[in-house]
Structures are given as structure tokens and as C-alpha cells.
Amino acid sequence: MAKAGKKKSAGKKTSAARKKASSRGSTNKPKNAFYAQSGGVTAVINASACGVIETARKHKSKIGKVYAGRNGIIGALTEDLIDTSKESTKAIAALRHTPAGAFGSCRYKLKSLEENRAEYERLIEVFEAHDIGYFFYNGGGDSADTCLKVSQLSETMGYPIQAIHVPKTVDNDLPVTDNCPGFGSVAKYIAVSIREAGFDVASMATTSTKVFVMEVMGRHAGWIAAAGGLAAEKAGDAPQIILFPELTFEREKFLKRVDQVVKKHGFCAIVVSEGIRNPDGKFVADAGTKDAFGHTQLGGVAPVIAQMIKDELGYKYHWAVADYLQRSARHIASKVDVEQAYAVGKAAVQFALQGHNAVMPAIERKAHKPYRWGVGMADLNKVANVEKKMPRGFVTKDGFAITEKCRRYLQPLVKGEDYPPYKEGLPQYVELKNVAAKKKLRRFDVKV
Amino acid sequence: MAKAGKKKSAGKKTSAARKKASSRGSTNKPKNAFYAQSGGVTAVINASACGVIETARKHKSKIGKVYAGRNGIIGALTEDLIDTSKESTKAIAALRHTPAGAFGSCRYKLKSLEENRAEYERLIEVFEAHDIGYFFYNGGGDSADTCLKVSQLSETMGYPIQAIHVPKTVDNDLPVTDNCPGFGSVAKYIAVSIREAGFDVASMATTSTKVFVMEVMGRHAGWIAAAGGLAAEKAGDAPQIILFPELTFEREKFLKRVDQVVKKHGFCAIVVSEGIRNPDGKFVADAGTKDAFGHTQLGGVAPVIAQMIKDELGYKYHWAVADYLQRSARHIASKVDVEQAYAVGKAAVQFALQGHNAVMPAIERKAHKPYRWGVGMADLNKVANVEKKMPRGFVTKDGFAITEKCRRYLQPLVKGEDYPPYKEGLPQYVELKNVAAKKKLRRFDVKV
């Protein structure tokens, strides 16, 4: 009866009634936690999940169950909660070496309280029904915004909750933190891949392929493209050219450089960010290419660049688009990245236990070489909706390479290998049981 | 004087004179060897080079220097010989973990003796000038043909030489040998990559990307595409669909299956061979796509397939084209592949020392599980110009997956990891000094 009553009245409770109900519930029983993954996944976001869950399990007197949202915040809204206590110690430990989002991620940003009050009411309803007092949200800039809004629920709606953001993004564009978990592994993948492909094209260049173009992620920020530059340790090494999204693509200047490089080194390996734009501001990838039916072809920028080189300079080319391969490549993850991803998950729980709200664990760099780092605390207000751009001083004057300053920043982030276990030649990634917690509330639909 | 005389007359020597000159030269001084890399390079062709050179170095009383052709057979024709004796033991050992062709490869097929006698005369001239009695050619089907032609020089032109082919091809299409060095590592890369990307798209599918398409090499044979199937160990695992070049692409049937898979499993991961064709025999990749200038766009098949799914089924997609990344990915090479690549290089030298000519070391499978293999000897006549197709029984009846028989064949080839050494987070691949041997002959131009 109490449950049924709750179902019906939850949406209409006053702040005062909620505080009372909440304090009534908070006897000795520890509050449960909610954890969810948000936005594009990475090779190490599950390592953060592992850090959160393992640390929470060590503090059972303070944190009850960890419920994971199935597909991020959507799981909270739809009351689709995964009871992680059903997973074995071994399965949770295996998250550390498993790429992508074990609980499902989502691309869904909460609107403001004014715009969609019903969603916030629903979140509180779900949190209350499952006695959730901790909210851990694992994502990038947009997710930090969602987390910040949730952190304000105590104030705005009178529901006591501590919301901690766990940083994750391959784009490396979160502010305050020195770098973002997820980026180091993409960086390593890109640097390793262009080095290997560079060796390949160098072998073939005399009689065949002279130009290799590799497209990488990063629509707005060139951090991932910059990482390709780590592969070039001396003159002539691949990649000889990097195209950054921060700089306008200058066709003639670029083609001239390609020609110079081929003439000097015999081949040219190019890393190009998916986000480069022509002087008119349009993406180079949308260079008017149409398919047989006249539809605009949603192609990559790599084939466009490659074809341009063929048309203008006549060089035989190959091109690659790594796409999801780059961000899911747990097999070549950076050890530093895995450790940091785990550490921010762990720190998030520790911050919660210390009573913090609206904060985010941030990586602090203590020394470049040998690299030393720690985890500090960032105010979520300073993180949400702020994009960290790559400094212009990280790109050489001519715009085609990274500077020593950039290299000094990037190098530590790709350090160390952290190989997953293999069986019969293939990496063994865990698939959780993902048992749903029993629903207690009415259905709530989310338009995705 | 003798040298000058040789220069002028070499092309005109009779068979008899050549035999005499040759026997005069063959006193106690061991003959030198020629080694070259041909065709598309692989993650492990240098492991074969390592096998050849290390083994030759152990038999200095029988084999003098190993000269490597700079850019394959072209190095022999242009007398651009690399003196591998200038390389340290350490550098040669490092070839074992270095991808691509350390001496440069080429796409160049010798014409028949009737069509281009001048080239054969030139080869003999170079071999004679550098006292070369052993010819090791490391390549695929076309290269086997070149090697066979060289092996016949004793008979056709009276120049005593032993030519041994060292098998290499990511396409896995050489006959007689159970598999080809180079293939196992691509296979591992593809299986690992589609497994990882499969985890990624599964995480995103509820609110975002539902379909992922990965294009792989193999214009004629589906061995590489088939390798993607290793990642799918149980129902619903990625990849749920494989498109093989041996089977005609049936658009409607394919789209129907994609829809079924998405509806059943929430997402669909597809491995597509670059070589799939429409019922009219045209490559699906050349589906009439034109760029802004009306040129046919040399795009990949992955974007075409992805766009088709979007247009017909409306699913959000991502696609990747691994291209050179797949065949140069030494960082995730198969241990079995590396061992076999080394073993065929070693065996080639041993066969030469035993007096063989016109043969090729072939991998022999002795048992599936646990996998046991050895190196046998194949008659080059049976190898050159014969393409091994994938048996129809390796593909399921519906044409979208591999059979258990195929899995049993493929599984051992991706077994084991053989990581290269890393420094500062990046693999350390060797670049040889590649010192040219002194030229003794007139210039000879090769049109490439």
C-alpha cells in the first residue's frame, strides 16, 4: 500500500514532504548509488566503472547497492536500473580491460529545469524509490552539464543527492583536468597506426602507393590528430603532415607540401581530422560529393583528400578511416590511461563519501618527465559546457605538425601497455549479466 | 679490365661461355644470395627476411653475403643491391618484430622470356657480377611466377642459380601451403577490431548508432572477411553479417537481414570485403558515386553499404575502412604467424643449402587442436599462377557467416600474441641502414 501510494503521489510531493520522507528513510541503512555512462564510449570508460563499483563495494556501510543506468541517464528516467550487486567480483574486475560501455551509453542531454520539469520530477521519483543518494555520471562536456543539473536537485527540488561527474572523453576537451580518460588510448592507437602504415607506404612508394591518408576523430578539437604526431620522431618519419580542425584547410598550400614531402622522402603519410573545414566554413568531408541518386554522400574526409592529391599531383594513394576502431581499441590501450580511468572512478566514490557534491575528479600533472600525476577535485560549475581547445602553440607555425611543447604534453598519456587477457588468439572482454532491478514505478517514456 | 670487359660482353655471352665462367668462379668461395620482398607488404614479411638472413649467417661457409634487392626485383634489375652484412645482429633480429618491407617492395612482374629477354639477360649480368647463386623471393602468387622464371635461368640461359620462393600474402590465396604467412596477423587484426567495434556499437545502439560497417581487404578471396567471423562466438555477437567477394551481393536479401539483426539484437556489425560485386559483376564500391566535378569517386564499399542501410532502413551508422592499418598492424600480430613467417624464411635457406631449386617452403597442418604445424616443400610449378579460393563449405548456406569448418581452419592462425618492444608508449620498429653494394655494371632503367 505504501508503495502504491508512493507511485501515485511521488510527482506531486512538496519539497518539505520530500525532505521529511528522505530523512525518515535515512536511518542506518546506507544510501544506494546510481552510476551511468554517457556519450561516445571509449576503450577505458569501463575501467572507470570498475573503479566506481570496486570502491563502493569496499564501503558497504556507507554505500548500499550500485545501480547502473541501462543506457545512461535514460536508464534512470525509465527506471531501467541494473543491479550491479548481481555481478561477480571477477566480472567487475574484468571491466578494467573491457572496452565500450558495459551498461550501455546514450546521447541524451537533460533540458533545463524550466524546459522539462517532468524529467527532473521523474529522476527524483526513481532515486527515491530505489533509495539512491549518490549519482555518478561518466561522460564528457554534455554529461557534465547533466550531472551539474542533477547535483542541484537538493537545492531546486529538495531531494538530497550527491552528484559526482566522472570524466571521460576521447576528445580530451574537458577543462580543469590536465587530460581526459579515454584520450590517451585513442592517442596511442592513432600514433601506433600511423607509424605502422607509414612503414607500409614507405615500402611500396617506389612502384606503387606514395600517399597514405588516415582520418581520425575530433570534429572540433585537434587533440587526436595531434597524437598522430607522436609517431614522427625524426625528419621524414610518418606522419609528415597533420591537418587540424582548428586551422582552415588551405588547399594549395597543402598540395604543395604533399608534393614536397613525396619528392624529398619518397612518400607522404597524412593524418587528417574529420573536422577540417574549407575557407567558407564548410566541412571538407562534405565537398559536394553525391551518390548515384544525387544524395549527398556522407563520406569521410580521407577519400576527399586522397582524391584531391590524385587529381592534382597524380600520386597513387591509399586511405583509411579508423572510426570506432580508434576509440574501442582496448587491445592497444595506454596503461596510463587505464590507470587514470580507474583512478577517477575510485576518486569519485571517495569524494562522495567525503560528502562532496557537484565536483569532478580531475587529473593533475605533477611532472612531465618522469611523468607524475595525481587526482584533484574540480568544481563542476567550472567544467560543464566549457570546451578546452588545443593551444595554438601546440601546432607548428606552418600548421602541419606538432611542436615540442605538444609532444611533451602528449607523450606521457600514451605510456605503457595494458594488454587484455587473450584466449584462442582473441581478447576476452566481459559481458555482464546486467540484471534489472525490480521496477517499482509507473512507466515513463523517453523520446530518444 | 676484366670488369670492363664483363660489362660490355655480359649480354652477349653464350650459354657455354657462361657455364665456363661460372664454374671458374665457383672455387671455394661461397656464392652470395639475393633476397627481395615483393607485392603488398605484411606485418610479418620482415620476420621472413629475418629468418633468411639469420639462417644464412649461420652458414657462412656455404652462403657468402645476402644482398637484398632495393624494392624487390627492381633492385636486381637496376643493380641496387643492399649489403645486409652491414647490418648488426641486433638490427636483423629486430626485423622479426618490424612490419612492412625493410628493403622496399615492388609491384613488378617479370614478363616471359620471349617478351622481355633483355630483363633476364640483365638479371644474369647482375647475379654474375655479384657472384649470386641463391635467389630468395618473398611474395605471393605473382612473385611465385617471377621466382619460377628465375629458377629456370639455369636451363633457359645457362646461369646456375637456385631460386626459392618464400610465401607471403595477406590474401591467403597461395596453393599447396595450408596458409600464408601474413594472413594470420591480418586475420587477428580484423577479428579483434570487429569485436571491439561491436562492443562499441552495442553500447550506443539504443539512442544512436545501430549499424557499423567495416571494410576489409581481399578483392577476390574472402579469407580476410571470414576472419572477422572468429569474433562471433555465440548468437548475437559481432559481426552478425559478413559479405564475401565470392558471393554475389544481393541487396534486398542483405537489407532484410540487417533489419532482422537490428530488431533482434539491437545493433548490427558488418564485415564487408572490398571486392563484393553486384549481380551485373560490377564492384559495389563503384556504385556510380561521383565527386563534385563529376569524376568517379574512388571510395570504399563501406560508405556505400552504410548509406544504403540509412536510405532504406533509416538506421544511424558508422563505418570504417582499415586499409593499410590491417596489414601493417604488427602491434597485434599473431604469434603463430610470426613464427611461421620466420620458419619459411629459415627453411628457404635450408632448402637452398640442400641443393633445391624452384621450390617453396609450405606450411603443413598436422593437427587442428591443439594446433601442430611443420614446414614442407612445395614444387614452385604447382604454386605459380594458381589461386586458392575459399571453399564454399566455409561459408554458411545463407552466405552471411562462416561455418564451424572455417572456424576450425582459421582459429589456430590467429593464436598467440607477439608484442613488439615499446619505448615511451610506441612500438620500436627498426629502420635498417640499407647500405648499397658498390655498382659494377652499366645503368639499366626499369619502367615502373
Short mmCIF file of all heavy atoms in Angstrom, two decimals, chain B residues 359-381:
data_model
loop_
_atom_site.label_atom_id
_atom_site.label_comp_id
_atom_site.label_asym_id
_atom_site.label_seq_id
_atom_site.Cartn_x
_atom_site.Cartn_y
_atom_site.Cartn_z
N VAL B 359 61.47 -24.34 -55.62
CA VAL B 359 60.60 -24.86 -54.56
C VAL B 359 60.17 -23.72 -53.64
O VAL B 359 60.69 -22.61 -53.72
CB VAL B 359 61.28 -25.97 -53.72
CG1 VAL B 359 61.56 -27.20 -54.56
CG2 VAL B 359 62.56 -25.42 -53.07
N MET B 360 59.25 -24.05 -52.78
CA MET B 360 58.75 -23.07 -51.80
C MET B 360 58.47 -23.80 -50.49
O MET B 360 57.83 -24.86 -50.50
CB MET B 360 57.45 -22.45 -52.32
CG MET B 360 56.78 -21.48 -51.34
SD MET B 360 55.14 -20.92 -51.90
CE MET B 360 54.07 -22.18 -51.15
N PRO B 361 58.94 -23.27 -49.38
CA PRO B 361 58.53 -23.85 -48.09
C PRO B 361 57.02 -23.66 -47.95
O PRO B 361 56.50 -22.59 -48.26
CB PRO B 361 59.27 -23.00 -47.05
CG PRO B 361 60.35 -22.29 -47.81
CD PRO B 361 59.85 -22.12 -49.20
N ALA B 362 56.34 -24.72 -47.52
CA ALA B 362 54.89 -24.65 -47.37
C ALA B 362 54.53 -25.05 -45.95
O ALA B 362 55.11 -25.97 -45.38
CB ALA B 362 54.22 -25.58 -48.36
N ILE B 363 53.56 -24.33 -45.38
CA ILE B 363 53.08 -24.68 -44.04
C ILE B 363 52.21 -25.93 -44.16
O ILE B 363 51.30 -25.99 -44.98
CB ILE B 363 52.23 -23.56 -43.42
CG1 ILE B 363 52.91 -22.20 -43.54
CG2 ILE B 363 51.86 -23.88 -41.98
CD1 ILE B 363 54.13 -22.00 -42.72
N GLU B 364 52.53 -26.91 -43.32
CA GLU B 364 51.70 -28.13 -43.30
C GLU B 364 51.00 -28.21 -41.96
O GLU B 364 51.63 -28.11 -40.91
CB GLU B 364 52.59 -29.36 -43.48
CG GLU B 364 53.09 -29.51 -44.90
CD GLU B 364 54.06 -30.69 -45.05
OE1 GLU B 364 54.46 -31.28 -44.02
OE2 GLU B 364 54.41 -30.99 -46.20
N ARG B 365 49.70 -28.41 -42.01
CA ARG B 365 48.95 -28.55 -40.76
C ARG B 365 48.94 -30.01 -40.35
O ARG B 365 48.52 -30.88 -41.10
CB ARG B 365 47.53 -28.04 -40.94
CG ARG B 365 46.71 -28.08 -39.66
CD ARG B 365 45.31 -27.53 -39.85
NE ARG B 365 45.33 -26.13 -40.29
CZ ARG B 365 44.52 -25.17 -39.80
NH1 ARG B 365 43.66 -25.47 -38.86
NH2 ARG B 365 44.60 -23.94 -40.26
N LYS B 366 49.38 -30.27 -39.14
CA LYS B 366 49.43 -31.65 -38.68
C LYS B 366 48.25 -31.96 -37.75
O LYS B 366 47.83 -33.11 -37.66
CB LYS B 366 50.76 -31.91 -37.96
CG LYS B 366 51.97 -31.55 -38.85
CD LYS B 366 53.21 -32.31 -38.47
CE LYS B 366 54.41 -31.88 -39.30
NZ LYS B 366 54.35 -32.40 -40.69
N ALA B 367 47.76 -30.97 -37.08
CA ALA B 367 46.58 -31.17 -36.23
C ALA B 367 45.88 -29.84 -35.99
O ALA B 367 46.53 -28.80 -35.93
CB ALA B 367 46.99 -31.78 -34.88
N HIS B 368 44.56 -29.89 -35.88
CA HIS B 368 43.78 -28.67 -35.65
C HIS B 368 43.91 -28.18 -34.21
O HIS B 368 44.16 -27.02 -33.95
CB HIS B 368 42.28 -28.93 -35.92
CG HIS B 368 41.91 -28.93 -37.37
ND1 HIS B 368 42.13 -27.86 -38.20
CD2 HIS B 368 41.35 -29.89 -38.14
CE1 HIS B 368 41.69 -28.14 -39.42
NE2 HIS B 368 41.21 -29.37 -39.42
N LYS B 369 43.66 -29.11 -33.26
CA LYS B 369 43.54 -28.69 -31.87
C LYS B 369 44.03 -29.79 -30.95
O LYS B 369 43.38 -30.82 -30.88
CB LYS B 369 42.07 -28.36 -31.58
CG LYS B 369 41.89 -27.40 -30.44
CD LYS B 369 40.48 -26.85 -30.38
CE LYS B 369 40.41 -25.79 -29.29
NZ LYS B 369 39.12 -25.15 -29.21
N PRO B 370 45.12 -29.66 -30.24
CA PRO B 370 45.98 -28.48 -30.30
C PRO B 370 46.68 -28.38 -31.66
O PRO B 370 47.08 -29.42 -32.22
CB PRO B 370 46.98 -28.70 -29.17
CG PRO B 370 46.99 -30.17 -28.93
CD PRO B 370 45.64 -30.67 -29.31
N TYR B 371 46.80 -27.19 -32.12
CA TYR B 371 47.37 -26.94 -33.44
C TYR B 371 48.83 -27.36 -33.50
O TYR B 371 49.61 -27.03 -32.62
CB TYR B 371 47.25 -25.44 -33.72
CG TYR B 371 47.80 -24.98 -35.06
CD1 TYR B 371 47.37 -25.56 -36.25
CD2 TYR B 371 48.73 -23.94 -35.13
CE1 TYR B 371 47.85 -25.11 -37.48
CE2 TYR B 371 49.20 -23.48 -36.36
CZ TYR B 371 48.77 -24.07 -37.53
OH TYR B 371 49.24 -23.62 -38.73
N ARG B 372 49.15 -28.15 -34.51
CA ARG B 372 50.55 -28.51 -34.75
C ARG B 372 50.83 -28.31 -36.23
O ARG B 372 50.01 -28.64 -37.07
CB ARG B 372 50.83 -29.94 -34.34
CG ARG B 372 50.87 -30.12 -32.82
CD ARG B 372 51.35 -31.51 -32.40
NE ARG B 372 50.53 -32.56 -32.99
CZ ARG B 372 50.96 -33.40 -33.93
NH1 ARG B 372 52.20 -33.32 -34.40
NH2 ARG B 372 50.15 -34.31 -34.41
N TRP B 373 51.99 -27.77 -36.52
CA TRP B 373 52.33 -27.50 -37.91
C TRP B 373 53.81 -27.76 -38.16
O TRP B 373 54.61 -27.83 -37.23
CB TRP B 373 51.99 -26.06 -38.28
CG TRP B 373 52.71 -25.02 -37.45
CD1 TRP B 373 52.33 -24.56 -36.22
CD2 TRP B 373 53.94 -24.36 -37.77
NE1 TRP B 373 53.24 -23.63 -35.76
CE2 TRP B 373 54.23 -23.48 -36.70
CE3 TRP B 373 54.81 -24.39 -38.86
CZ2 TRP B 373 55.38 -22.66 -36.68
CZ3 TRP B 373 55.94 -23.57 -38.84
CH2 TRP B 373 56.21 -22.71 -37.76
N GLY B 374 54.14 -27.93 -39.42
CA GLY B 374 55.53 -28.08 -39.82
C GLY B 374 55.73 -27.40 -41.17
O GLY B 374 54.80 -26.86 -41.74
N VAL B 375 56.97 -27.44 -41.64
CA VAL B 375 57.25 -26.84 -42.94
C VAL B 375 57.61 -27.93 -43.93
O VAL B 375 58.54 -28.71 -43.71
CB VAL B 375 58.41 -25.82 -42.84
CG1 VAL B 375 58.73 -25.24 -44.23
CG2 VAL B 375 58.05 -24.70 -41.88
N GLY B 376 56.83 -28.03 -45.00
CA GLY B 376 57.14 -28.97 -46.06
C GLY B 376 57.70 -28.25 -47.27
O GLY B 376 58.03 -27.06 -47.20
N MET B 377 57.80 -28.99 -48.36
CA MET B 377 58.37 -28.38 -49.56
C MET B 377 57.38 -28.49 -50.72
O MET B 377 56.87 -29.57 -51.00
CB MET B 377 59.66 -29.10 -49.93
CG MET B 377 60.46 -28.37 -51.02
SD MET B 377 61.86 -29.36 -51.60
CE MET B 377 62.82 -29.45 -50.09
N ALA B 378 57.11 -27.35 -51.37
CA ALA B 378 56.18 -27.34 -52.49
C ALA B 378 56.95 -27.09 -53.79
O ALA B 378 57.92 -26.33 -53.81
CB ALA B 378 55.14 -26.26 -52.29
N ASP B 379 56.50 -27.74 -54.83
CA ASP B 379 57.06 -27.54 -56.16
C ASP B 379 56.53 -26.20 -56.68
O ASP B 379 55.32 -25.99 -56.77
CB ASP B 379 56.61 -28.71 -57.03
CG ASP B 379 57.22 -28.65 -58.42
OD1 ASP B 379 57.65 -27.56 -58.84
OD2 ASP B 379 57.23 -29.69 -59.08
N LEU B 380 57.43 -25.32 -57.07
CA LEU B 380 57.01 -23.98 -57.46
C LEU B 380 56.10 -23.99 -58.69
O LEU B 380 55.25 -23.10 -58.86
CB LEU B 380 58.25 -23.10 -57.72
CG LEU B 380 58.09 -21.59 -57.49
CD1 LEU B 380 57.41 -21.26 -56.19
CD2 LEU B 380 59.46 -20.92 -57.53
N ASN B 381 56.27 -24.99 -59.51
CA ASN B 381 55.39 -25.16 -60.68
C ASN B 381 53.92 -25.27 -60.27
O ASN B 381 53.03 -24.89 -61.01
CB ASN B 381 55.76 -26.46 -61.41
CG ASN B 381 56.60 -26.16 -62.63
OD1 ASN B 381 56.21 -25.32 -63.45
ND2 ASN B 381 57.74 -26.82 -62.72
#
